[in-house]
């Protein structure tokens, strides 16, 4: 007998597998780990391993006795400049004094996590890869979750390795754990900040600038707070990290502030992601006018139109920091009241005027770093325009490559100069009013700002060189800046060779008021700037557009 088949209606259809919001997270995490297999371990190790072998050991050699450490701690508290840069010393124990300069690590880990998160979120969307990946079996939240897991994990690993590094020395285990957890929590907070910034705008460049603006504001609040009464420090996540006070009471409860902020901002990031389209941002791009104004008639006008908002944001941030620095510098010695020991130390150091000069030198070294970030950000517009394929349209007209690149570079060079000098003028005016010497203080502080410019412009030159010779690696200009800052901050402590320290441009422009300018170093920097820019422009002329 022949068999018969039973037919059903409607015919069976293949059902696509259901895709949850987090489907594909593990696969994307493996992809991100592979892409960051060199850079991520590098910054994790650099921000953890030097703590015991460099910081604690160096203090043991310089101040081996309790009396010497007490004098060292008192000298720190007698000077506003180092307190603004690194934070306060809360007692004279080996641990507290040893990790004092490591307070800057809380800022550096913020830079590292911001770059990591933006790279794997908004930069992926801007390039179009996120849309391609999302067309497969990948959930809506998978990309953000993988980026957060990667960066949260790296922050925790940094904190644990820092704890282990400190435990190899003769310091208290509880203080070592407190510092490691505070460092990890700094990374957690700014990971969440970057996650929120990545949802706000369509450009990775703007997302980085928003996140860095938050980090810069946090640093400024912490610096002003630690240089003064301490109130402003509680408004900053970086201030919370130092208020944990490792080896000086170990305030574990402060870490709850980090965790609460991290949870809240992470939840905001997911909520913002839920409410927007792939490739879009919560801050939408506005339609331009129907008719172009006369200022858009050439490449410079177009470059100015594209960069003016970014330049205004960076200039505002630098001016606010300059305003804060100028407002706290005068009368530093008066902060210590009738403390006889601190006043004796101040007199031995050269008096209150020398403390004020040291603070200004330190403050404008930091402003130079921020101005260098401004120059990089503005110069990166070349890379952004090319990758978005808008440069090809512009260059198809009667505009040469050198002219087009030079317009954006001119804005980066002039813009960073305007931003830094504006901060110097504001700081000088406020300082001069407080000291009843507006003309004298304004000239001194403005000169301090101007002498930093050759070092600042070198980072615009490096960005142009990468764009012309290795366009794929142009965003690595941020890594170059971070590397130079790390050497600048760690070099004297770690005993780096002199030739390596000389590679950092900021060491050649650091200037104390009253000293004669080191003109040969400045002229050499300017010559190097011009040479590197020329190499980059020649490389851009000879290569194909991407």
């Amino acid at each position: 007998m022949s068999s018969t088949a039973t037919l059903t209606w409607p015919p069976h259809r293949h059902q696509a597998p259901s895709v949850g919001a987090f489907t594909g997270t593990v696969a994307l995490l493996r992809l991100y780990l592979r892409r960051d297999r060199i850079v991520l371990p590098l910054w994790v190790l650099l921000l953890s391993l030097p703590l015991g072998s460099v910081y604690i050991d160096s203090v043991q050699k310089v101040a081996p006795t309790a009396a010497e450490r007490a004098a060292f701690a008192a000298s720190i508290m007698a000077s506003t400049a180092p307190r603004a840069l690194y934070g306060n010393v809360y007692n004279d124990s080996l641990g507290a004094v040893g990790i004092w300069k490591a307070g800057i690590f809380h800022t550096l880990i913020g830079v590292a996590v911001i770059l990591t998160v933006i790279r794997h979120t908004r930069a992926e969307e801007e390039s179009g890869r996120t849309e391609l990946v999302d067309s497969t079996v990948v959930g809506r939240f998978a990309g953000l979750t993988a980026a957060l897991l990667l960066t949260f994990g790296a922050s925790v690993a940094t904190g644990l390795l820092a704890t282990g590094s400190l435990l190899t020395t003769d310091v208290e285990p509880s203080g070592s754990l407190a510092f490691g957890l505070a460092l990890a929590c700094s990374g957690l907070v700014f990971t969440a900040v970057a996650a929120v910034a990545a949802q706000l705008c369509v450009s990775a460049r703007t997302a980085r600038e928003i996140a860095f603006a938050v980090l810069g504001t946090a640093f400024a609040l912490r610096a002003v707070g630690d240089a003064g009464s301490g109130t402003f420090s509680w408004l900053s996540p970086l201030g919370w990290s130092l208020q944990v006070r490792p080896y000086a009471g170990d305030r574990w409860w402060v870490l709850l502030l980090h965790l609460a902020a991290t949870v809240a901002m992470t939840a905001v990031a997911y909520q913002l992601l839920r409410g927007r389209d792939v490739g879009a941002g919560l801050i939408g791009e506005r339609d331009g006018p129907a008719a172009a104004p006369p200022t858009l008639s050439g490449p410079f006008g177009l470059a100015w139109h594209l960069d003016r908002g970014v330049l205004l944001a960076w200039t505002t941030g630098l001016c606010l920091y300059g305003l804060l620095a100028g407002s706290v510098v005068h009368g530093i010695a008066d902060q210590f009241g009738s403390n006889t020991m601190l006043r004796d130390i101040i007199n031995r150091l050269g008096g209150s005027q020398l403390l004020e000069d040291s603070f200004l030198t330190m403050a404008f070294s930091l402003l130079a770093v921020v101005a260098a970030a401004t120059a990089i950000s503005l110069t990166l517009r070349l890379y952004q325009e090319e990758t978005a394929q808008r440069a090809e349209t512009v260059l198809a007209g009667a505009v040469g490559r050198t002219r087009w690149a030079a317009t954006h570079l001119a804005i980066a060079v002039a813009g960073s100069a305007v931003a830094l000098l504006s901060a110097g003028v504001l700081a000088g005016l406020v300082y001069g009013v407080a000291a009843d010497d507006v003309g004298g203080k304004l000239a001194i502080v403005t000169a301090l700002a101007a002498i930093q410019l050759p070092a600042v412009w070198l980072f615009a030159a490096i960005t142009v060189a990468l764009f012309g010779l290795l366009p794929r690696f142009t965003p690595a200009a941020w890594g170059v800046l971070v590397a130079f800052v790390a050497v600048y901050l760690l070099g004297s402590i770690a005993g780096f060779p002199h030739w390596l320290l000389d590679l950092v441009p900021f060491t050649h422009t650091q200037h104390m008021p009253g000293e004669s300018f080191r003109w040969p170093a400045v002229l050499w920097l300017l010559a190097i700037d011009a040479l590197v820019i020329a190499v980059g422009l020649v490389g851009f002329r000879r290569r194909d557009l991407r």
Side-chain angles (χ1 to χ4, degrees):
M1 295 178 60
S2 61
S3 60
T4 59
T6 303
L7 300 177
T8 59
W9 190 264
H12 174 73
R13 295 177 181 174
H14 176 71
Q15 299 294 324
S18 60
V19 178
F22 297 94
T23 301
T25 298
V26 175
L28 285 176
L29 178 59
R30 289 200 301 266
L31 174 63
Y32 296 167
L33 283 168
R34 177 175 176 77
R35 293 182 62 193
D36 277 4
R37 63 187 180 276
I38 297 176
V39 175
L40 188 140
L42 187 60
W43 66 255
V44 168
L45 294 176
L46 285 175
L47 293 176
S48 57
L49 296 186
L51 291 169
S53 60
V54 174
Y55 285 90
I56 300 298
D57 289 349
S58 65
V59 170
Q60 280 184 310
K61 293 176 182 177
V62 174
T65 66
E68 289 172 325
R69 289 195 298 271
F72 180 64
S75 67
I76 293 169
M77 296 304 292
S79 180
T80 305
R83 287 162 54 209
L85 180 58
Y86 300 110
N88 294 321
V89 179
Y90 292 103
N91 66 26
D92 56 8
S93 66
L94 175 61
V97 176
I99 65 164
W100 166 64
K101 279 195 172 183
I104 197 68
F105 277 36
H106 298 290
T107 303
L108 294 178
I109 197 174
V111 174
V113 298
I114 286 171
L115 293 175
T116 302
V117 172
I118 299 299
R119 179 190 181 196
H120 293 301
T121 53
R122 177 52 66 178
E124 290 293 287
E125 288 192 54
E126 187 178 13
S127 67
R129 286 189 290 266
T130 296
E131 188 172 6
L132 180 62
V133 171
D134 285 354
S135 65
T136 63
V137 186
V138 173
R140 184 78 170 95
F141 297 151
L144 175 60
T145 305
L148 290 177
L149 288 175
L150 174 73
T151 318
F152 283 156
S155 299
V156 173
T158 304
L160 293 178
L161 287 173
T163 301
S165 176
L166 291 168
L167 288 175
T168 62
T169 63
D170 299 327
V171 296
E172 295 83 358
S174 62
S176 302
L177 181 60
F179 181 87
L181 291 179
L183 183 61
C185 285
S186 295
L188 298 182
V189 170
F190 288 101
T191 295
V193 167
V196 173
Q199 315 308 316
L200 296 179
C201 47
V202 298
S203 166
R205 176 171 175 254
T206 308
R208 279 190 290 265
E209 289 163 358
I210 291 173
F212 282 143
V214 175
L215 178 63
T217 302
F219 182 87
L221 290 171
R222 200 277 309 155
V224 172
D226 286 343
S229 63
T231 303
F232 286 104
S233 296
W234 289 102
L235 301 178
S236 165
L238 299 177
W240 304 341
S241 298
L242 297 185
Q243 288 298 331
V244 173
R245 300 189 181 184
Y247 309 106
D250 301 337
R251 293 176 165 185
W252 304 100
W253 62 268
V254 178
L255 298 174
L256 297 176
L257 297 176
H258 297 86
L259 297 178
T262 300
V263 171
M265 286 187 291
T266 301
V268 170
Y270 277 106
Q271 190 61 35
L272 294 176
L273 176 58
R274 184 193 303 273
R276 68 175 180 85
D277 294 331
V278 176
L282 271 297
I283 303 175
E285 293 183 315
R286 297 178 299 173
D287 294 333
T295 55
L296 282 176
S297 59
F300 184 84
L302 176 61
W304 170 249
H305 180 78
L306 294 171
D307 291 332
R308 59 187 179 183
V310 175
L311 177 58
L312 177 61
W314 281 105
T315 303
T316 301
L318 280 163
C319 287
L320 289 175
Y321 188 86
L323 190 63
L324 290 172
S327 65
V328 302
V329 62
H330 182 61
I332 290 174
D334 297 338
Q335 299 177 36
F336 305 105
S338 59
N339 191 316
T340 305
M341 181 181 69
L342 290 181
R343 288 199 168 274
D344 288 342
I345 293 174
I346 290 172
N347 292 330
R348 290 200 300 270
L349 290 174
S352 60
Q353 185 58 53
L354 183 61
L355 291 183
E356 293 180 10
D357 292 346
S358 299
F359 176 83
L360 286 172
T361 302
M362 191 71 70
F364 276 88
S365 295
L366 292 175
L367 279 172
V369 173
V370 181
T374 305
I376 290 174
S377 177
L378 291 169
T379 310
L380 279 174
R381 174 64 73 176
L382 293 167
Y383 173 80
Q384 185 179 3
E385 291 297 291
E386 184 181 7
T387 53
Q389 298 183 342
R390 291 189 291 267
E392 188 173 3
T393 302
V394 175
L395 295 174
V399 178
R401 288 193 180 196
T402 302
R403 182 186 176 197
W404 175 74
T407 56
H408 288 280
L409 180 61
I411 290 176
V413 170
S416 57
V418 168
L420 186 56
L421 292 175
S422 298
V425 169
L426 273 179
L429 287 174
V430 175
Y431 180 28
V433 169
D436 198 22
D437 182 19
V438 175
K441 301 303 183 186
L442 178 61
I444 290 172
V445 178
T446 305
L448 275 177
I451 200 67
Q452 308 295 332
L453 289 176
V456 170
W457 290 335
L458 180 60
F459 292 93
I462 291 172
T463 309
V464 169
L466 288 171
F467 176 72
L469 301 176
L470 301 168
R472 178 184 175 187
F473 298 100
T474 306
W478 290 113
V480 174
L481 176 61
V482 172
F484 276 135
V485 172
V487 174
Y488 179 61
L489 295 176
L490 297 175
S492 58
I493 301 172
F496 289 171
H498 196 271
W499 65 265
L500 181 59
L501 295 177
D502 284 342
L503 294 178
V504 181
F506 303 116
T507 61
H508 301 289
T509 57
Q510 197 172 39
H511 176 74
M512 280 280 288
E515 293 182 349
S516 58
F517 286 126
R518 290 173 285 182
W519 290 113
V522 172
L523 295 176
W524 270 110
L525 274 175
L526 290 173
I528 293 171
D529 294 345
L531 177 62
V532 175
I533 288 172
V535 169
L537 292 177
V538 170
F540 177 55
R541 286 186 61 186
R542 293 184 176 181
R543 70 171 176 84
D544 293 332
L545 291 179
R546 299 175 66 198

